[in-house]
Amino acid sequence: MKLLEGKVALITGAARGIGKAIALKFAAEGANIAFTDLTIDENGLATENELCALGVKAKGYASNASLYEDAHQVVNEIVKGFGRIDILVNNAGITRDGLMMRMSETQWDAVINVNLKSAYNFIHAITPVMMKQRGGSIINMASVVGISGNAGQANYSASKAGLIGLAKSIAKELGSRGIRANAIAPGFIITDMTAALSDEVREEWAKQIPLRRGGTPEDVANVALFLASDLSSYVTGQVIPVCGGMNM
């Protein structure tokens, strides 16, 4: 039997990148997939088709994760369409890097709203659903910089540290209802965003990593699968770095 057979997963920001890799991994293990992105464009439709080709039900929803009303509305639509939600992956995120002395309020607010407030929005919307089901797994996509900090990324680091604290708090609040909450802290992962960096920058990154390579979205998806499945039924309130040993 597949690890997520009959489960329904909601993944935010999953039309591409790490979110898409998680969606594909979950679908391959039998989960029906609802995913959101700011718009469901050609990438979103292609992702939807790839998921359906794996023999599961899948649908993309256009939603601004940083908006409270949008999040609640899309959760209601997903429950109507899929019947339940067993897994929530808070993956939506952006960067607006800059040194603090030059960082504008707009840069700060944008990152906090998309990366951190979106997780509040979706957890708030999904809690009654999971409480009624008396079970569920919530996964916040944090970052190693949420643990260690990073110069030029005060807003991003703060948002990711917030996701860790949020997961731990929710784990304590909802554990008695069978609901688990954990965080994943990826390190240097090779995505479209990092692929745009120069070879020199990527080589410098690799020197800081004991495994001497960047991670792949699939590396992150494998850990997400563990946290989403019953393999981690006694794991909650934890942060799992996926960083090749970079942050230890």
Side-chain angles (χ1 to χ4, degrees):
M1 184 175 176
K2 295 181 178 180
L3 287 174
L4 301 179
E5 194 74 46
K7 302 285 188 182
V8 175
L10 165 55
I11 307 166
T12 66
R16 57 186 66 77
I18 291 173
K20 179 178 178 178
I22 293 172
L24 290 170
K25 179 68 67 173
F26 285 8
E29 287 295 334
N32 296 314
I33 307 293
F35 69 93
T36 73
D37 217 281
L38 195 57
T39 59
I40 301 301
D41 55 12
E42 290 181 4
N43 287 321
L45 292 173
T47 297
E48 188 177 293
N49 289 334
E50 286 181 59
L51 292 167
C52 290
L54 293 172
V56 301
K57 180 178 179 179
K59 182 173 175 58
Y61 295 81
S63 174
N64 186 336
S66 70
L67 298 180
Y68 179 91
E69 293 297 337
D70 271 26
H72 282 70
Q73 180 179 341
V74 79
V75 165
N76 288 337
E77 290 179 14
I78 291 167
V79 172
K80 288 179 183 177
F82 287 78
R84 60 188 295 117
I85 301 174
D86 302 285
I87 303 154
L88 168 65
V89 182
N90 287 308
N91 173 73
I94 61 170
T95 57
R96 296 290 185 271
D97 295 348
L99 296 173
M100 175 56 78
M101 64 183 297
R102 299 191 185 96
M103 184 176 290
S104 68
E105 183 181 11
T106 299
Q107 286 175 297
W108 176 271
D109 286 347
V111 170
I112 296 299
N113 285 337
V114 174
N115 296 9
L116 182 56
K117 186 171 184 288
S118 65
Y120 156 76
N121 292 339
F122 275 90
I123 292 173
H124 189 274
I126 213 168
T127 293
V129 178
M130 289 186 171
M131 286 180 69
K132 186 176 180 180
Q133 295 168 182
R134 296 199 65 81
S137 176
I138 297 168
I139 303 168
N140 285 351
M141 199 58 57
S143 168
V144 291
V145 303
I147 301 170
S148 63
N150 195 33
Q153 287 193 309
N155 50 3
Y156 188 75
S157 298
S159 71
K160 296 301 185 177
L163 286 171
I164 291 170
L166 177 59
K168 289 178 176 290
S169 298
I170 295 304
K172 291 185 175 182
E173 285 188 22
L174 301 180
S176 64
R177 301 300 184 99
I179 300 168
R180 299 181 295 110
N182 294 284
I184 298 174
F188 185 74
I189 306 298
I190 300 168
T191 62
D192 290 342
M193 187 183 300
T194 56
L197 299 173
S198 68
D199 290 342
E200 183 180 351
V201 170
R202 288 199 297 272
E203 287 171 9
E204 285 302 312
W205 268 101
K207 290 177 183 177
Q208 302 172 44
I209 302 170
L211 292 183
R212 293 296 188 267
R213 68 172 180 87
T216 67
E218 288 71 29
D219 289 324
V220 180
N222 287 333
V223 176
L225 175 62
F226 167 71
L227 291 176
S229 74
D230 289 340
L231 291 175
S232 60
S233 61
Y234 202 53
V235 178
T236 193
Q238 303 305 306
V239 186
I240 303 181
V242 184
C243 62
M246 182 175 70
N247 188 54
M248 66 175 172

